[in-house]
Amino acid sequence: MAIDTSSPPPPSVMELNACVTTASHRPVKVTTFREWVVTHQIGISLTTLSMLLAIHHLYPSLSPYTTPFFQLSYYQPSQGVYIQGWDDIYFVVSSIFAFTAIRAIAIEWFIQPLAMWIGLKRKASIRLAEQGWMFLYYAFFWTFGIYLWSQSNYWMDFKAIWAEWPARGVSGSLKWYLLAQLAFWLQQIFVVNIEERRKDHYQMLTHHFITSTLLASAYIYSFYNVSNVVLSLMDAVDLLLPLAKILKYLGYELSCNIAFGALMVVWLVSRHILYPSLCWSIFKDVPAAMPYGCYSGTTAEMISTNGYPDQLTHLFYPFLDLDGPICMNRTVKWLFLSSLLSLQLLSLIWFTMVIRVAIRVLRTGNAEDSRSDAEDEDEEEEVHVPKDLPNGSPVSVSTEVSSAEYRRSNGPSSVRPRGRIDRKALLGRIGCDKPT
């Protein structure tokens, strides 16, 4: 019987093992803790809140401990107002989990799928979804804050802000507004550390720390009114900024230009005219409207004209005992004023960057937002082996790069070198033209 020697011999066991071993040694991407948190933030937040809610309803004896997580504490029926207390911390904690879940759900389940459905690429859809959430948040809280301010006795009258201090009573709506805003800014510290870092990471982190510390301290010191005014002035800009970015990603250049122009005007008026006027009121009006001295934490009546009963401890009286005395003096005034001025400094730095970009656009038509990271909206391109190559021919790294560069330079959607950012990259994260 003849043996056919024309066909190649079957592969040996060692050769098969070598193929399997080579295929199994592909690099496996290790998930970092940050990525794990981002992936599971909805589950973590909803599970935590669900467990608290289940304990609250299944174990009535524990309701005194779980109720502060879900409703405002320290209601005074005789006066119809709320006062502050340490149980407010539980409400802030549950609000942080709630904001984390709501933000992730809004971005991942609704806004980003909608953005991809209308044709945006993955990175652009993520950016639009993030800005969409910020727009929704500020659309509600800026409107609510302005409503509270407009219904108050200090509407557009900064001197009247200090008239009722240090009264501890506050309406339920204003208390919920202040605690929810505090929870949001604490949650923003979490967000800025789990997202991809951008050029202004430390500036934003500093801003969030200052804002959170200022809000918490002002709440404990019963500076409810000034907190409402500061948040309303700041939120006006934070409402228009994501709107301009959304219009950019959607490609509505004219509408985005209008929104960006409105942003600059509102930024100038709210943050660099009205806000410094508020700071001037603190410097000028506080000594007259809030005489220096120590006041009772329960009756709000002055108990001593000496605003410095000791060297340092009096600054922490409201933190140590909410029913104890609360003192007003030059040190307290300048601590709060310096914190507000530090926010003004950050706003000036950012506004200067925006003005530089706007001037560059008017002069040359070229712009790059110096606050932005490199926002490459193009996905990583897959390099395919040309069909006319022999089967199994190796393609070197240089060949892949050359192929990609050829497509970039000759393809229908040409990508410009990094050194030349033209009008189509207008303002990066703030810009109005849809980048190509």
Side-chain angles (χ1 to χ4, degrees), residues 202-256:
Y202 289 105
Q203 293 178 10
M204 297 300 294
L205 189 61
T206 301
H207 174 272
H208 298 343
F209 268 117
I210 293 175
T211 303
S212 301
T213 303
L214 190 57
L215 275 175
S217 301
Y219 181 77
I220 293 176
Y221 261 86
S222 302
F223 292 152
Y224 311 124
N225 299 342
V226 68
S227 298
N228 177 209
V229 176
V230 169
L231 289 169
S232 297
L233 293 177
M234 290 293 181
D235 289 353
V237 172
D238 293 328
L239 173 64
L240 291 174
L241 182 58
L243 176 61
K245 295 179 182 180
I246 291 170
L247 293 172
K248 178 201 73 170
Y249 288 119
L250 294 177
Y252 298 118
E253 179 181 347
L254 178 60
S255 299
C256 181

Side-chain angles (χ1 to χ4, degrees), residues 19-286:
C19 294
V20 174
T21 304
T22 303
S24 64
H25 277 77
R26 292 176 181 174
V28 179
K29 187 178 184 298
V30 178
T31 302
T32 64
F33 178 74
R34 181 189 65 82
E35 293 171 336
W36 181 86
V37 171
V38 171
T39 304
H40 297 89
Q41 56 184 321
I42 297 176
I44 295 172
S45 302
L46 293 183
T47 300
T48 302
L49 293 176
S50 299
M51 289 177 61
L52 287 172
L53 196 59
I55 294 173
H56 179 72
H57 288 288
L58 295 176
Y59 300 95
S61 61
L62 298 178
S63 61
Y65 303 99
T66 55
T67 298
F69 285 101
F70 302 105
Q71 68 182 42
L72 298 177
S73 304
Y74 304 109
Y75 180 64
Q76 307 296 307
S78 59
Q79 305 174 18
V81 296
Y82 288 84
I83 61 174
Q84 75 268 53
W86 293 116
D87 284 354
D88 294 337
I89 295 176
Y90 301 115
F91 185 83
V92 171
V93 170
S94 64
S95 298
I96 291 174
F97 281 101
F99 274 126
T100 301
I102 295 171
R103 177 184 183 273
I105 290 173
I107 290 176
E108 297 178 16
W109 294 4
F110 296 99
I111 307 177
Q112 187 183 356
L114 179 62
M116 297 189 72
W117 180 77
I118 63 177
L120 294 183
K121 294 183 179 180
R122 186 182 64 86
K123 287 187 178 180
S125 67
I126 293 174
R127 293 287 189 261
L128 184 142
E130 292 172 352
Q131 299 308 318
W133 158 249
M134 297 300 289
F135 177 78
L136 292 175
Y137 173 84
Y138 286 114
F140 175 81
F141 275 91
W142 177 76
T143 303
F144 190 47
I146 287 293
Y147 169 77
L148 294 174
W149 186 10
S150 65
Q151 299 300 308
S152 68
N153 65 327
Y154 51 88
W155 172 248
M156 290 301 173
D157 183 5
F158 292 153
K159 188 174 183 179
I161 290 176
W162 323 106
E164 299 177 355
W165 190 88
R168 295 181 62 200
V170 62
S171 66
S173 55
L174 182 56
K175 177 171 182 173
W176 180 88
Y177 169 79
L178 295 176
L179 293 180
Q181 286 270 38
L182 174 59
F184 171 78
W185 285 108
L186 290 172
Q187 194 259 348
Q188 283 296 101
I189 297 175
F190 166 76
V191 169
V192 80
N193 282 287
I194 65 172
E195 288 184 342
E196 292 184 11
R197 290 197 174 186
R198 300 173 183 174
K199 287 185 177 180
D200 59 352
H201 170 80
Y202 289 105
Q203 293 178 10
M204 297 300 294
L205 189 61
T206 301
H207 174 272
H208 298 343
F209 268 117
I210 293 175
T211 303
S212 301
T213 303
L214 190 57
L215 275 175
S217 301
Y219 181 77
I220 293 176
Y221 261 86
S222 302
F223 292 152
Y224 311 124
N225 299 342
V226 68
S227 298
N228 177 209
V229 176
V230 169
L231 289 169
S232 297
L233 293 177
M234 290 293 181
D235 289 353
V237 172
D238 293 328
L239 173 64
L240 291 174
L241 182 58
L243 176 61
K245 295 179 182 180
I246 291 170
L247 293 172
K248 178 201 73 170
Y249 288 119
L250 294 177
Y252 298 118
E253 179 181 347
L254 178 60
S255 299
C256 181
N257 287 331
I258 294 173
F260 181 68
L263 165 69
M264 294 189 65
V265 173
V266 171
W267 193 322
L268 177 64
V269 173
S270 64
R271 294 193 174 185
H272 302 306
I273 295 178
L274 295 178
Y275 187 85
S277 300
L278 175 64
C279 294
W280 173 254
S281 175
I282 296 175
F283 174 77
K284 179 177 180 294
D285 298 331
V286 163

